């Protein structure tokens, strides 16, 4: 197991992962952000170098301080060999199995290995299945103007509580801290109503994916997604990032909206796995509130 800390090696790895797209997308996006300032405090592990068979990104130890915070304790994985995948994920020096964490990947082997290790260790695991969507030609996506009376703007940290309260996975201080990180450090957009309050928004995350898209119920079915996504697609493409997102498999409205904007649904499953030791708090302690 090696931690890649040399910038030249990390840039070389980014190029190698680019050649494996779209299978490498989550890890590739994470490595791209590591190479561009590393705002989420991630580090990159490989089983060997330069002929790697497994890549794992994880939070730096100084970032992963709260053993119950599975929002911050986020991993991504990509493998070329299932044996190498299993060996690295089983290694407690690579994955902190004493903490709650989430891991993202596109390969069945990641899901099966994490599931089997969690069972053997007596840990709880929640599985979320997503469809992966990629835009094949970002420059071709039209730029839409907001409706009259609405204004396109970046999401403000002052809006984080609203986003947290309306997010399916939100409602606690871990999720609020996570959303504040995304708002402060990664591209995002929202539509502000006449009173200056967001009515619709979309963020991007440390994997360079479009995420947390939401429109207040009273403003839906009015195509408010189009100007926000158009702006973010242009920003990500200009910075050299792939333009992709993940949508829960049962979220048919979002899948249809994104397809109308030119995104293609890719084969396979995007896995988000949340592993929780039995000691994990169901809610954060008050002292952990950001």
């Amino acid at each position: 197991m090696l931690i890649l800390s040399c910038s030249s090696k990390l840039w070389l790895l980014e190029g190698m992962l680019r050649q494996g797209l779209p299978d490498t997308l989550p890890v590739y996006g994470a490595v791209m952000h590591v190479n561009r300032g590393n705002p989420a405090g991630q580090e990159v592990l490989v089983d060997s170098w330069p002929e790697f068979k497994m890549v794992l990104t994880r939070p730096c130890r100084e970032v992963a301080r709260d053993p119950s915070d599975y929002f911050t304790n986020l991993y991504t994985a990509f493998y070329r060999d299932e044996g190498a995948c299993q060996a690295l994920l089983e290694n407690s020096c690579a994955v902190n199995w004493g903490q709650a964490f989430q891991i993202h990947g596109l390969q069945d082997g990641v899901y099966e290995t994490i599931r089997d290790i969690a069972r053997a260790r007596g840990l709880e695991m929640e599985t979320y299945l997503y469809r992966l969507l990629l835009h094949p030609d970002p420059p071709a996506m039209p730029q839409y103007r907001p409706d009259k009376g609405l204004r396109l703007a970046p999401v403000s940290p002052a809006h984080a509580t609203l986003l947290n309260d309306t997010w399916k996975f939100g409602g606690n201080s871990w999720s609020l801290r996570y959303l504040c990180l995304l708002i402060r450090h990664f591209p995002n957009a929202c539509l502000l109503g006449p009173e200056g309050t967001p009515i619709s928004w979309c963020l991007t995350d440390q994997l360079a994916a479009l995420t947390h898209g939401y429109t207040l119920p009273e403003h839906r079915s009015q195509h408010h997604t189009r100007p926000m996504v158009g702006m973010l697609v242009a920003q990500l493409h200009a910075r050299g990032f792939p333009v992709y997102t993940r949508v829960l498999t049962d979220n048919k409205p979002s899948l249809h909206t994104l397809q109308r904007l030119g995104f293609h649904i890719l084969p396979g499953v995007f896995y988000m796995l949340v592993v929780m030791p039995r000691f994990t708090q169901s809610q954060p302690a008050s002292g952990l509130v950001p």
Side-chain angles (χ1 to χ4, degrees):
M1 182 189 82
L2 301 170
I3 299 176
L4 295 186
S5 56
C6 173
S7 61
S8 61
K9 292 180 179 178
L10 285 166
W11 282 100
L12 182 58
L13 176 64
E14 180 181 317
M16 294 175 178
L17 293 171
R18 185 183 304 116
Q19 296 174 10
L21 292 173
D23 293 340
T24 60
L25 267 170
V27 172
Y28 177 64
V31 170
M32 287 190 74
H33 277 308
V34 169
N35 284 335
R36 291 159 180 79
N38 200 13
Q42 293 270 304
E43 59 187 10
V44 183
L45 285 70
V46 292
D47 66 308
S48 59
W49 184 261
E51 300 298 327
F52 67 86
K53 297 178 181 177
M54 172 72 177
V55 184
L56 185 74
T57 70
R58 70 180 187 189
C60 299
R61 295 305 187 196
E62 57 270 23
V63 171
R65 294 173 298 179
D66 182 348
S68 298
D69 183 2
Y70 54 84
F71 292 92
T72 298
N73 303 337
L74 185 149
Y75 294 69
T76 68
F78 169 76
Y79 67 86
R80 293 170 170 169
D81 177 86
E82 288 196 25
C85 173
Q86 181 173 349
L88 194 61
L89 293 178
E90 286 179 338
N91 188 337
S92 58
C93 292
V95 177
N96 189 344
W97 288 94
Q99 288 188 328
F101 67 89
Q102 59 177 294
I103 183 166
H104 296 236
L106 296 173
Q107 297 163 295
D108 293 342
V110 173
Y111 161 68
E112 293 165 356
T113 300
I114 293 291
R115 177 199 62 197
D116 293 347
I117 298 172
R119 285 177 180 173
R121 291 174 175 262
L123 307 176
E124 298 177 3
M125 187 183 86
E126 296 178 359
T127 302
Y128 299 93
L129 306 180
Y130 293 80
R131 301 304 305 271
L132 180 69
L133 296 96
L134 177 71
H135 202 294
D137 188 13
M141 185 172 175
Q143 294 297 304
Y144 297 94
R145 292 186 177 183
D147 291 346
K148 187 176 181 180
L150 303 179
R151 180 166 60 89
L152 195 60
V155 181
S156 165
H159 303 144
T161 299
L162 172 62
L163 272 63
N164 191 41
D165 290 343
T166 53
W167 184 27
K168 176 179 180 178
F169 297 104
N172 59 68
S173 65
W174 297 320
S175 56
L176 179 59
R177 180 164 52 197
Y178 171 72
L179 291 169
C180 286
L181 169 75
L182 300 190
I183 291 168
R184 289 190 175 103
H185 296 292
F186 300 98
N188 60 70
C190 71
L191 278 181
L192 299 177
E195 299 81 17
T197 303
I199 64 168
S200 185
W201 54 83
C202 185
L203 310 181
T204 62
D205 63 15
Q206 60 265 63
L207 314 185
L210 297 170
T211 191
H212 305 308
Y214 188 84
T215 300
L216 296 176
E218 61 270 28
H219 294 281
R220 291 176 185 170
S221 302
Q222 300 178 49
H223 305 295
H224 290 323
T225 301
R226 297 188 304 187
M228 295 184 306
V229 172
M231 187 176 84
L232 286 176
V233 165
Q235 289 182 8
L236 290 169
H237 181 70
R239 299 181 187 187
F241 285 93
V243 177
Y244 79 104
T245 186
R246 55 189 180 272
V247 176
L248 287 165
T249 54
D250 60 353
N251 189 347
K252 304 302 182 185
S254 291
L255 289 170
H256 292 156
T257 296
L258 290 163
Q259 286 180 284
R260 287 196 294 268
L261 292 175
F263 284 80
H264 290 182
I265 299 178
L266 300 185
V269 176
F270 187 112
Y271 293 98
M272 183 180 85
L273 311 173
V274 180
V275 178
M276 291 171 289
R278 297 193 184 279
F279 72 82
T280 303
Q281 305 170 72
S282 59
Q283 291 292 330
S286 58
L288 300 177
V289 175

